[in-house]
Every structure is written in C-alpha cells, then in structure tokens.
C-alpha cells in the first residue's frame, strides 16, 4: 500500500508553550502575596505576644490597699474580688485590690502624721470614710495628700432615733434649731406634752463611726445661722455656734461604747426611766439595727430644716504618698465600684444610690429628702469637728 510522505520531510508539529513573561509575572504575584501573609502573621503574633506579656504581669502583682468604713467592707471585699477577676493590668502590674476596715480618726492621724504599718497595715492607696468631715480634715491639714476631688459613693441621711412616745409628739414639728434648748433645759419635754420626765436626753456619741453626731451639729449650726448655702468658716466660728454645740455635748448621756448603735439599744420601753431618749444616727445604720423588728422599738424622726447627709467620699491618695500604679489602680477600682451592678449591692444594705432600696420596715421607710444640707466649707466642718470631738 502506498504511504503518504510528510511534506517537506520535517518533524511532526508540537503544542504551543506558556510565555516565560507570563510565568514570571504569576510567580512574582505569588511571592508578594506570601510576603504580605507572612508580615500579617508575624505582626499579629507580635501583638498577641505583647498582650500576653502584659497579661502575664511582667512587673508582678501589685497590692492596692483601700481602707473603708466598716459598714462598707463586706460588700467592697466582694467587689474587689470581682474586679481582680477582670485581670486589671497597669504598666505591666497585675492589680490586686484589698479592702480593710479602718477607724476614721486613726486613719486620719496616720495620713496627717506618721503611718505605722505594724499596727495599721500597709499605707492605703485610697480611703472611703463615712462622710466628708474626714476629707475636710485631711484637705485642711495635708491638702497635697488628696488626688483630685473626692466624689460620693453612696449616701444616707442623718435621722434622730427617738423613743416612740416622744416621736409621736415631735414628728413633723421638731426643728434642728430646737435641739440645744430641749437638751439643756430641765423639764423641756413638758412643752411637747410629756410633763414630769425631764429633758431630751439625746446621746451625742463620739466613738467609732460617730459621724452622725458631727453632722447633726452642723445641721444645728446651719439652722442657727440661717445659712441658705453651705455653712461657712465665718458662720462656724460664731460664739453662739460654739454655745449651742456645747449645750448638745455637755447635756448628752453617754452610750455604753460611744457608738450610736449602743445608744439606740439603750432607748428602753419606759420613756420615764430610759437613760437615753434620742440619738442622731444614719438612716442606713438604723435600718441595719432594726430591719428584723416586727414592730418599731424606736421611731425615726427627720427634723425640719436642711438634712445632713453622710456621703462616703471616694478619696484617692496622691502619688507622692504611694506609687503611681497603685493610685491608677484605685481609680480603676472606683470606676468599677460605681457601676450599677456594684451599687445595687450597697443599696440593698440601706444606702442610697443609683439602684433600688430595700423594702421598708417597721422603723425605716426611706422617705424622700426634700432639702439635703449642702456640704459645708472644709474649714467650717473642721471647726464643728473640733467642738464635737475636741482638739
């Protein structure tokens, strides 16, 4: 059979190849993509390692001690534990907040004098006393010790816990300005429909947690001077202010341990023989003392005129007394503490704040405070404190 011959006697045709330029371009793009991916990987890894290094406390744990009024310590200890669980880190330090109770007078003496760590514990990064009578003292004696302006954590008004028979007679009639005369004049209760039993017998406790005593004295001084604004240093220095405060103090029966709680317990069932018939006390303390009573053993009275308020100031101590990291740690804790969830733990105890109050009781009904007394000038608060506590 005849065979066909290839034309021209050449080789068989071959498939067309890929352009070298195109191949080089594809490879270049792939290399660029790989480089970008690698850069992003190592950048993210570096950021993660940086975060992990911070969270691993490169500089170690930093205790941040806070001294607080004893009525706050139970809740604040729980809040501090919850705050620590958020792993707060400041400048490579893991912050560990520790809250302990402290007597306000002793704490003030340490902060304005020599802090004895052996008897008082570590110097605090912050202080939360019962009221601004202590921040006023600190600001007057050692203003450089306070960082910024203290703000209020929670509040509670000062009321008078009185014998129920007396309470019925004076409710919605009694004024702060009338207390010195009722205290110092024998037989003064006869004018209130209680003849033959003598005078007011209002305790003025000056022991631990006795801020209500000094705040009540401020209210009397404000009523006496008819101050429409904060009590001024000039008002507090008036001789008649010293006279009425001395009348309250000198005529006061002593409570067993110098506390308002002991004074409330001393208001017995028989008004004629009760060694104490009245005592200024914070509403929150009275709530805690009487919340389980089925019937009222004492009556809470709010005298007419501006009502004094215990306001639990958040006092950050300045970095010249503590480390900057501890000061910042205290500030972050305060921000955490003033969130609604934490405040609700405090208002459940009878404090007033931006959270619900507990149910009313036979003794404490948490009435509105239509006229809260403005905080006095620092010098005025210090003057009243000196009259009440001496010094």
């Amino acid at each position: 059979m005849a065979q066909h011959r290839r034309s021209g006697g050449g080789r068989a045709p071959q498939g067309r190849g890929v352009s070298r330029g195109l191949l080089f371009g594809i490879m270049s793009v792939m290399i660029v993509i790989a480089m970008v991916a690698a850069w992003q990987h190592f950048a993210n890894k570096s950021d993660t390692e940086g975060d992990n290094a911070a969270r691993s406390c490169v500089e170690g744990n930093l205790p941040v001690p806070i001294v607080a009024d004893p009525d706050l310590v139970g809740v604040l200890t729980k809040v501090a534990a919850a705050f620590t669980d958020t792993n707060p880190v400041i400048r490579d330090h893991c912050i560990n907040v520790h809250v302990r109770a402290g007597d306000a007078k002793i704490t003030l003496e340490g902060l304005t004098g020599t802090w004895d760590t052996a008897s008082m514990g570590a110097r605090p990064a912050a202080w939360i006393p019962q009221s601004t009578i202590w921040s006023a003292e600190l600001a007057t004696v050692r203003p450089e010790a306070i960082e910024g302006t203290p703000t209020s954590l929670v509040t509670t008004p000062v009321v008078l816990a009185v014998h129920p028979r007396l309470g019925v007679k004076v409710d919605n009639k009694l004024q702060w300005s009338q207390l010195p005369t009722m205290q110092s004049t024998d037989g003064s209760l006869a004018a209130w429909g209680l003849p033959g039993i003598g005078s007011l017998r209002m305790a003025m406790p000056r022991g631990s947690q006795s801020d209500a005593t000094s705040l009540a004295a401020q209210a009397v001084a404000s009523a006496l001077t008819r101050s429409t604004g904060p009590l001024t240093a000039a008002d507090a220095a008036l001789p008649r202010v010293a006279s009425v405060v001395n009348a309250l103090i000198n005529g006061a029966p002593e409570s067993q341990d110098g506390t308002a709680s002991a004074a409330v317990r001393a208001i017995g069932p028989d008004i004629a023989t009760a060694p104490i018939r009245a005592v200024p006390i914070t509403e929150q303390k009275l709530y805690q003392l009487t919340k389980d009573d089925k019937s009222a053993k004492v009556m809470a009275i709010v005298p007419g005129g501006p009502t004094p308020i215990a306001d639990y100031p958040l006092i950050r101590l300045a970095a010249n007394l503590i480390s900057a990291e501890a000061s910042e740690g205290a500030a972050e804790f305060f921000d955490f503490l003033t969130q609604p969830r934490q405040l609700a733990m405090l208002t459940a105890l009878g404090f007033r704040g931006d959270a619900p109050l507990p149910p009313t009781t036979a003794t404490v009904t948490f009435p509105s405070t239509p006229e809260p007394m403005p905080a006095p000038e620092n010098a005025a608060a210090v003057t009243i404190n000196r009259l009440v506590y001496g010094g």
Side-chain angles (χ1 to χ4, degrees), residues 56-219:
S56 63
C57 307
V58 173
E59 297 295 333
N61 291 326
L62 179 67
V64 178
I66 294 179
V67 173
D69 181 82
D71 289 339
L72 299 174
V73 169
V75 166
L76 263 57
T77 298
K78 295 178 181 177
V79 174
F83 177 67
T84 299
D85 287 343
T86 67
N87 299 315
V89 177
I90 294 177
R91 303 183 192 184
D92 293 338
H93 290 85
C94 278
I95 302 301
N96 291 318
V97 173
H98 302 281
V99 181
R100 67 177 188 268
D103 179 83
K105 294 177 186 176
I106 295 174
T107 302
L108 177 68
E109 290 170 1
L111 293 175
T112 55
T114 301
W115 189 272
D116 181 16
T117 56
S119 62
M120 301 171 65
R123 180 187 288 273
W127 181 27
I128 314 176
Q130 195 173 53
S131 76
T132 51
I133 70 172
W134 304 110
S135 58
E137 289 273 8
L138 182 58
T140 300
V141 178
R142 197 173 183 180
E144 73 279 4
I146 300 177
E147 184 72 33
T149 302
T151 57
S152 174
L153 173 60
V154 287
T155 65
T156 183
V158 173
V159 301
L160 296 185
V162 304
H163 191 282
R165 281 190 63 193
L166 175 60
V168 170
K169 298 292 186 180
V170 304
D171 192 23
N172 296 319
K173 301 174 185 176
L174 182 65
Q175 302 287 317
W176 288 105
S177 59
Q178 295 172 300
L179 294 177
T181 299
M182 295 173 67
Q183 181 85 311
S184 60
T185 304
D186 190 29
S188 61
L189 294 189
W192 296 90
L194 295 169
I197 61 172
S199 61
L200 181 58
R201 294 186 191 172
M202 183 173 73
M204 294 288 282
R206 289 176 286 174
S208 177
Q209 295 181 279
S210 58
D211 293 32
T213 297
S214 187
L215 292 170
Q218 288 180 13

Side-chain angles (χ1 to χ4, degrees), residues 29-381:
V29 171
M30 293 178 65
I31 290 171
V32 170
I33 292 173
M35 290 176 65
V36 171
W39 178 82
Q40 289 179 335
H41 169 74
F42 286 111
N44 291 337
K45 183 177 180 181
S46 177
D47 290 343
T48 301
E49 288 176 348
D51 291 341
N52 290 339
R55 292 297 173 186
S56 63
C57 307
V58 173
E59 297 295 333
N61 291 326
L62 179 67
V64 178
I66 294 179
V67 173
D69 181 82
D71 289 339
L72 299 174
V73 169
V75 166
L76 263 57
T77 298
K78 295 178 181 177
V79 174
F83 177 67
T84 299
D85 287 343
T86 67
N87 299 315
V89 177
I90 294 177
R91 303 183 192 184
D92 293 338
H93 290 85
C94 278
I95 302 301
N96 291 318
V97 173
H98 302 281
V99 181
R100 67 177 188 268
D103 179 83
K105 294 177 186 176
I106 295 174
T107 302
L108 177 68
E109 290 170 1
L111 293 175
T112 55
T114 301
W115 189 272
D116 181 16
T117 56
S119 62
M120 301 171 65
R123 180 187 288 273
W127 181 27
I128 314 176
Q130 195 173 53
S131 76
T132 51
I133 70 172
W134 304 110
S135 58
E137 289 273 8
L138 182 58
T140 300
V141 178
R142 197 173 183 180
E144 73 279 4
I146 300 177
E147 184 72 33
T149 302
T151 57
S152 174
L153 173 60
V154 287
T155 65
T156 183
V158 173
V159 301
L160 296 185
V162 304
H163 191 282
R165 281 190 63 193
L166 175 60
V168 170
K169 298 292 186 180
V170 304
D171 192 23
N172 296 319
K173 301 174 185 176
L174 182 65
Q175 302 287 317
W176 288 105
S177 59
Q178 295 172 300
L179 294 177
T181 299
M182 295 173 67
Q183 181 85 311
S184 60
T185 304
D186 190 29
S188 61
L189 294 189
W192 296 90
L194 295 169
I197 61 172
S199 61
L200 181 58
R201 294 186 191 172
M202 183 173 73
M204 294 288 282
R206 289 176 286 174
S208 177
Q209 295 181 279
S210 58
D211 293 32
T213 297
S214 187
L215 292 170
Q218 288 180 13
V220 171
S222 293
L224 179 70
T225 59
R226 293 179 173 82
S227 176
T228 57
L231 186 69
T232 67
D235 290 335
L238 293 172
R240 63 178 181 272
V241 168
S243 177
V244 296
V245 174
N246 287 333
L248 291 172
I249 298 295
N250 294 337
E254 295 293 331
S255 61
Q256 186 175 9
D257 59 2
T259 68
S261 298
V264 169
R265 290 191 289 267
I267 301 175
D270 184 358
I271 190 172
T273 59
I276 293 173
R277 294 171 178 154
V279 61
I281 188 171
T282 65
E283 177 187 70
Q284 189 273 339
K285 176 66 76 175
L286 185 60
Y287 168 76
Q288 287 295 321
L289 288 173
T290 62
K291 63 181 180 179
D292 295 326
D293 293 347
K294 301 302 181 184
S295 59
K297 298 176 183 178
V298 297
M299 189 169 174
I301 296 296
V302 181
T307 301
I309 305 290
D311 56 353
Y312 299 86
L314 300 170
I315 305 171
R316 285 176 57 203
L317 298 180
N320 61 343
L321 298 179
I322 57 174
S323 71
E325 293 83 0
S327 180
E328 291 179 29
E332 287 199 11
F333 175 68
F334 284 169
D335 288 342
F336 183 80
L337 177 60
T338 52
Q339 294 173 8
R341 183 174 182 179
Q342 281 67 252
L343 286 178
M345 298 170 67
L346 289 167
T347 58
L349 298 178
F351 295 103
R352 299 193 183 199
D354 192 16
L357 284 163
T360 61
T361 69
T363 305
V364 176
T365 60
F366 301 106
S368 63
T369 305
E371 193 178 2
M373 188 179 75
E377 294 179 357
N378 284 344

